[in-house]
Amino acid sequence: MKLRRSLIGALAIAAVGATALAGCSAGGDPAEADPGTGAALTIAKPDGAITTESHNPFLGDSSASKYGYAKAIFEPLALVNPTGDLGTTPWLAESVEWNDDYTELTVVPRSGVTWSDGEEFTAEDIVFTFDMYLNGKLADASGLRYEGATVDGDNVTLKFADSKYTAQARVLHTPIVPKHIWEGIEDPNADPLTGEGMAVGTGPYVLSNWTTESVTLTANEDYWGGELAVPELHYVSYGDNAALTTALASGEADWAQAFIPQIESSYLSADEHNQFLVSPTAGAGTLFMNLQTKPFNDPALREALAWTIDRQAYVDIAREGASEAVWNVTGLGTLLSDEILPEYKDQNYSVDVDKAKDILTDAGYTWKSDKLMDPDGEPVSFSISVPSGWSDWNTEQALIAEELDEALGIEVKVDQPDWGGWDAARQEGSFQAIIHWLEDTGNVYGLYTSTMDPKWIVDDKAQFNFGRFEDPAVTEALNTYANAGSDDDRAAASAVLQKAFAENVPAIPLGAHPLLGEFNTRNYEGWPSEDDQYASADPTQPGIVQILTKLTPAG
């Protein structure tokens, strides 16, 4: 297609510029660095200066959350891997066990753990942390609906008002804080934790220095997980992605999570030690269609689009390889392939324009001067909306517009509003098509609740299910899946959901939503890899503590 050729040419030109930029950057030759010297790791973000100091792990706008260093100080009960095997690794708990309907979680606190101020970590700290939700001292922003705890010997049982099967990570990733410090905090929702001796955790690193330019953490000498290879972490925020890319390529920064255009020429080729890991998750970049209005109120049209849109082009061009195409008619990607019903295992979409045209012809569509006409004799056209500046999805808009025009004669108008206008339209249902992410629950529920669940429509505004799909049988299956007391009940509900999605095409997943990580191996090895995705390489995720305990000096 013309667009693809022109995009490739433009990206190649951009790559030359990026390579030249990297070559001119300060920081010396990273290849000359001595490996295995106990060097610090610089973890970078492209968010500009973070000017307000706050170490509170429960505040999304605290500097600890924005930089990501909270996760190296405050630890959770367990780590839920969002990629790889999607498994759960006990962490501050020696074991975690859910009851059959996932309304109770029993944990055994890890023995031999101390807080960074030397106090002993106990079951009381776990109960206290969750009780802050119960007594209203801490806002329940994650919707845990915690109801209380019981302690029986070494066992702590946390009780919840509803099933947490689809929200296990929200519970298990709750940062556990020390009772002996937090019981004196009047408002945990606002306290910045900047007083002397307040930023106390069980994590592998402790806060050493904070400025608006950088934050330094040093290794916790008494860390329960053993000796750490990396002595210091430096958290730095650059002005934008271009500055971050230059810092990574030059070796000024060591580790980041960023979408870097032309990453091969602008980063990977700068040094053989520079690495990039794409970790698919159960979520996906998805085309949502407004099912309430033309042309998407016709399932035949939606199915025809599903046989025309090239998901591999989305991966290769829009995402520059940083994704994984989703082709199965159930909408489920590779990580959840074991959950796909046998009758759908081999039912995959492909780019099959003849099949798409047959579907449309059978539904009463015709062509006039190579333009698709609907059964009412009106030309088929629609707009697709993505905020301006979201470069990967802006590229996908252009790809879809060209694909549908050339293949089916559909006029697709590319709309790139500011975020506020886009957000209002997606909530109010005043759009025709948008590209959006899914609620990632680590299981099949995420896709199907995001695309078919009416619970997301409140006061006529949508947080997901933007197409406003509704079917009582599907709603019942979603509720059953979320609250089931057995794997068999969940499997039966999943069968209903997969069938409904395949038959109705309420949305079109394009490619797995990835967690990205750029890092270098000059000084340390043991990083996650394509062959061993024990965690994603994204340093803003809870799994950073697992990575830091696995790193060893480079040989």
Side-chain angles (χ1 to χ4, degrees):
M1 291 183 175
K2 294 179 182 176
L3 173 65
R4 298 186 190 188
R5 288 197 293 271
S6 63
L7 274 174
I8 291 170
L11 292 172
I13 293 171
V16 173
T19 304
L21 178 66
C24 294
S25 62
D29 183 357
E32 295 179 357
D34 293 329
T37 56
L41 282 180
T42 297
I43 301 172
K45 295 195 74 178
D47 302 334
I50 297 175
T51 58
T52 303
E53 181 180 6
S54 173
H55 313 304
N56 192 324
F58 296 106
L59 304 182
D61 62 351
S62 70
S63 58
S65 296
K66 288 180 177 179
Y67 275 114
Y69 63 84
K71 292 179 174 62
I73 297 175
F74 302 96
E75 295 185 301
L77 294 173
L79 300 172
V80 180
N81 192 356
T83 188
D85 63 2
L86 301 177
T88 296
T89 301
W91 205 252
L92 268 187
E94 292 184 354
S95 65
V96 295
E97 184 177 354
W98 292 94
N99 67 346
D100 288 343
D101 65 1
Y102 286 77
T103 58
E104 295 184 3
L105 172 67
T106 299
V107 303
V108 176
R110 189 172 295 279
S111 60
V113 177
T114 58
W115 295 99
S116 56
D117 63 359
E119 293 288 327
E120 183 184 2
F121 162 74
T122 70
E124 284 190 34
D125 297 306
I126 297 174
V127 175
F128 171 82
T129 298
F130 281 91
D131 276 358
M132 285 195 293
Y133 295 117
L134 189 64
N135 59 32
K137 290 193 71 174
L138 196 60
D140 188 11
S142 296
L144 298 183
R145 301 188 67 197
Y146 167 74
E147 291 191 324
T150 58
V151 179
D152 182 9
D154 291 334
N155 293 337
V156 177
T157 299
L158 307 173
K159 299 180 180 180
F160 302 89
D162 53 15
S163 173
K164 295 301 166 209
Y165 182 79
T166 63
Q168 294 174 59
R170 293 184 189 176
V171 176
L172 295 172
H173 288 168
T174 299
I176 305 302
V177 296
K179 177 183 177 182
H180 66 279
I181 289 177
W182 283 69
E183 63 186 352
I185 295 177
E186 184 176 343
D187 185 4
N189 293 297
D191 196 294
L193 237 67
T194 52
E196 183 69 26
M198 295 293 285
V200 171
T202 59
Y205 290 82
V206 296
L207 183 67
S208 175
N209 186 58
W210 193 99
T211 71
T212 55
E213 285 75 37
S214 67
V215 180
T216 299
L217 273 61
T218 56
N220 182 352
E221 295 182 358
D222 297 319
Y223 182 54
W224 63 266
E227 187 176 354
L228 299 155
V230 183
E232 284 187 355
L233 304 178
H234 297 159
Y235 283 82
V236 178
S237 185
Y238 291 87
D240 53 32
N241 266 336
L244 174 61
T245 301
T246 300
L248 285 167
S250 69
E252 180 181 295
D254 300 299
W255 193 1
Q257 172 272 322
F259 179 75
I260 299 177
Q262 289 296 284
I263 192 168
E264 176 63 42
S265 54
S266 62
Y267 170 65
L268 294 176
S269 64
D271 186 339
E272 65 180 0
H273 294 100
N274 289 348
Q275 304 292 315
F276 176 51
L277 182 64
V278 178
S279 300
T281 68
T286 299
L287 179 69
F288 281 83
M289 300 161 284
N290 190 333
L291 312 184
Q292 307 305 308
T293 62
K294 275 188 165 188
F296 298 117
N297 58 352
D298 184 358
L301 188 281
R302 304 196 297 265
E303 184 182 5
L305 264 56
W307 284 103
T308 306
I309 294 173
D310 189 347
R311 280 72 148 184
Q312 197 58 49
Y314 168 77
V315 171
D316 293 341
I317 300 176
R319 292 291 306 171
E320 297 188 31
S323 185
E324 183 178 84
V326 176
W327 289 104
N328 193 266
V329 297
T330 63
L332 300 176
T334 301
L335 285 185
L336 297 174
S337 59
D338 289 346
E339 303 293 322
I340 297 174
L341 294 173
E343 59 261 42
Y344 292 126
K345 279 283 187 185
D346 299 319
Q347 289 198 32
N348 298 315
Y349 291 114
S350 62
V351 178
D352 191 335
V353 175
D354 289 338
K355 187 175 183 66
K357 287 184 173 180
D358 287 344
I359 292 168
L360 292 170
T361 299
D362 290 345
Y365 289 78
T366 57
W367 280 264
K368 182 177 181 180
S369 300
D370 294 328
K371 299 299 181 184
L372 182 64
M373 313 298 288
D374 69 20
D376 296 327
E378 298 177 352
V380 177
S381 68
F382 63 88
S383 65
I384 181 170
S385 182
V386 171
S388 175
W390 291 17
S391 58
D392 51 346
W393 285 355
N394 292 155
T395 299
E396 179 61 11
Q397 287 176 288
L399 285 171
I400 291 175
E402 183 174 9
E403 289 165 353
L404 297 184
D405 179 40
E406 291 189 0
L408 301 178
I410 298 175
E411 179 189 22
V412 179
K413 302 168 186 175
V414 172
D415 178 35
Q416 295 181 1
D418 60 23
W419 189 89
W422 178 78
D423 177 49
R426 67 172 177 160
Q427 290 192 53
E428 295 164 2
S430 56
F431 68 93
Q432 288 187 291
I434 59 173
I435 301 175
H436 201 280
W437 56 90
L438 301 175
E439 174 87 343
D440 181 11
T441 60
N443 46 52
V444 303
Y445 182 81
L447 166 65
Y448 300 132
T449 187
S450 296
T451 57
M452 300 190 293
D453 198 338
K455 80 173 185 179
W456 295 106
I457 316 298
V458 179
D459 295 331
D460 207 31
K461 290 189 176 182
Q463 296 304 311
F464 278 107
N465 187 18
F466 304 106
R468 287 169 162 74
F469 179 93
E470 188 165 1
D471 179 323
V474 171
T475 302
E476 181 181 358
L478 285 163
N479 292 336
T480 297
Y481 189 96
N483 297 289
S486 72
D487 290 339
D488 288 344
D489 288 344
R490 271 186 290 274
S494 177
V496 173
L497 299 173
Q498 292 183 46
K499 185 173 187 291
F501 193 91
E503 292 181 351
N504 291 281
V505 197
I508 302 175
L510 302 168
H513 187 71
L515 292 171
L516 309 178
E518 293 88 10
F519 56 91
N520 66 63
T521 58
R522 284 187 289 277
N523 296 310
Y524 299 103
E525 56 191 17
W527 301 90
S529 65
E530 288 188 8
D531 295 330
D532 184 13
Q533 297 219 25
Y534 64 84
S536 79
D538 180 345
T540 69
Q541 296 294 309
I544 185 175
V545 291
Q546 192 172 16
I547 297 172
L548 289 167
T549 59
K550 284 181 174 287
L551 293 182
T552 57

